[in-house]
Amino acid sequence: MALGTEQITTNADSGPIAVPRRVTIGETGFEVHPLALGASTFGWTLDAEASGDILDRFVALGGTLIDTADSYAAGRSETIIGEWLGSRGARDRVRIATRVGRHPDHTGLAPAAISRAVDASLDRLGTDRIDLLCFHGDDPEVPLEESLGAVDALITSGKVLAVGASDLSPERLIEARVLAANGLPRFQALTTRYNLMERRAFEGATELVAHAQGLPVMPDFALADGFLGGAIRRRADVRRDARGERQGRHLGRRGLRVLRALDEVAAAHGTVPAAIAIAWLLARPTVVAPVTGVSRPEQVDALLGAASIELHRSELVELDRASA
């Protein structure tokens, strides 16, 4: 049985089958597929129809965790997700993670700003609850105790079920754990940019703190804005838009070296480079569910299948070496 799968019994005729194993996010009790669908492109490079097609495919194949933010496309991402949830009656089939703190109308993590931002997100999402609410970065002007106190009230009211952190420093994570020991809500997950092309910011102090705290990590932009999908190999391949500019930053000797390593490992497993990039993340000890977006529904299949890929030690070493 492959890593990332478990056997379940269906019926006496078909017998047990292998399905992707669910993972639990911290102490939330949320059991999710170990790949989160990132919605940063919804309302930006993808319209509502294209986004809906991707969401349909994601859920149909067993995906359960959708990751967004109130600042993505100035809230349009949440609106698209909300319209899809309503039209499909799918709210109880998925978990919604969103971030607050960077929307132009509700900037920062002051209690009043958090409360207004959550109400606005609930309205756009068309739901009565946010499963995982993340602080979108830090707000040095507001004591963390006050921000967590505001979330405590939201949890009590049922508007928020759990709280997470996005791109907080190791020092803030340690401070948050001390506050949690004194009764404030505990961070249940950490989202941060982390992938084969962007390792240094996470590996080191942040990874050590996450490991010591048993804090589940949900690597954001797990495919480096799509670069690790392998379609960008030359400058001529780079699209002339904001997303293309982000992808183009990774072109160079190191980027091409990483793509070659992904090509080799993907060929050995009969899959695509993007799936191997996700499997590499899932092999990291603190990672629970990488977050990545797609541009077409058919790309969802291989990425969800990454949870069932068991990379050999030699393959992990080669990917580490190529991306060092």
Side-chain angles (χ1 to χ4, degrees):
M1 185 168 60
L3 180 71
T5 63
E6 60 183 347
Q7 297 281 356
I8 64 168
T9 300
T10 53
N11 57 58
D13 295 325
S14 65
I17 61 173
V19 299
R21 181 180 293 121
R22 298 293 180 94
V23 295
T24 303
I25 305 295
E27 298 173 349
T28 62
F30 304 162
E31 291 188 348
V32 300
H33 184 284
L35 177 83
L37 179 65
S40 64
T41 56
F42 291 3
W44 179 36
T45 58
L46 297 174
D47 62 18
E49 182 178 358
S51 302
D53 290 342
I54 289 169
L55 287 163
D56 285 339
R57 187 68 176 170
F58 179 70
V59 173
L61 293 177
T64 50
L65 180 58
I66 301 169
D67 178 272
T68 185
D70 68 353
S71 60
Y72 290 165
R76 180 64 180 153
S77 174
E78 289 184 330
T79 298
I80 288 173
I81 293 168
E83 292 171 349
W84 176 83
L85 289 171
S87 65
R88 305 300 193 273
R91 182 61 185 94
D92 292 333
R93 298 174 60 189
V94 297
R95 296 289 184 177
I96 302 294
T98 194
R99 300 169 176 79
V100 295
R102 294 185 183 174
H103 192 282
D105 295 337
H106 315 289
T107 305
L109 298 175
I114 291 174
S115 180
R116 290 194 299 268
V118 165
D119 284 342
S121 287
L122 289 172
D123 184 58
R124 285 190 291 266
L125 290 165
T127 184
D128 62 349
R129 68 199 183 278
I130 293 168
D131 296 295
L132 180 66
L133 179 75
C134 291
F135 291 164
H136 206 168
D138 202 355
D139 186 345
E141 297 183 1
V142 179
L144 188 55
E145 182 176 6
E146 292 184 10
S147 301
L148 288 171
V151 172
D152 193 25
L154 291 166
I155 291 174
T156 299
S157 71
K159 292 181 178 181
V160 170
L161 301 189
V163 63
S166 181
D167 299 322
L168 287 196
S169 68
E171 294 77 16
R172 282 295 232 185
L173 293 175
I174 293 170
E175 180 185 354
R177 180 52 61 90
V178 172
L179 293 171
N182 290 318
L184 287 172
R186 175 180 171 178
F187 286 142
Q188 298 296 336
L190 170 67
T191 68
T192 186
R193 285 190 77 100
Y194 182 44
N195 54 64
L196 276 165
M197 295 304 302
E198 299 169 286
R199 298 178 56 180
R200 293 181 182 177
F202 173 71
E203 294 177 0
T206 302
E207 186 175 27
L208 286 172
V209 169
H211 190 271
Q213 294 186 356
L215 183 62
V217 176
M218 296 167 52
D220 207 3
F221 297 96
L223 295 180
D225 295 294
F227 176 78
L228 295 173
I232 307 298
R233 308 275 177 154
R234 302 170 302 165
R235 287 293 167 188
D237 298 329
V238 179
R239 296 187 314 184
R240 297 181 178 277
D241 56 21
R243 192 160 189 263
E245 181 180 344
R246 292 181 183 182
Q247 294 171 335
R249 290 189 314 225
H250 300 303
L251 270 179
R253 290 184 179 179
R254 178 170 174 263
L256 293 176
R257 187 169 67 241
V258 169
L259 291 182
R260 285 194 296 270
L262 287 173
D263 288 340
E264 292 178 4
V265 178
H269 288 268
T271 188
V272 296
I276 299 301
I278 298 296
W280 177 84
L281 283 170
L282 285 168
R284 311 298 292 188
T286 57
V287 170
V288 62
V291 180
T292 187
V294 299
S295 56
R296 300 186 306 277
E298 57 268 24
Q299 295 173 331
V300 173
D301 303 48
L303 296 184
L304 285 175
S308 300
I309 296 174
E310 182 176 7
L311 295 178
H312 303 301
R313 180 171 179 78
S314 60
E315 294 170 334
L316 291 170
V317 169
E318 180 57 30
L319 291 169
D320 284 341
R321 182 183 297 118
S323 61

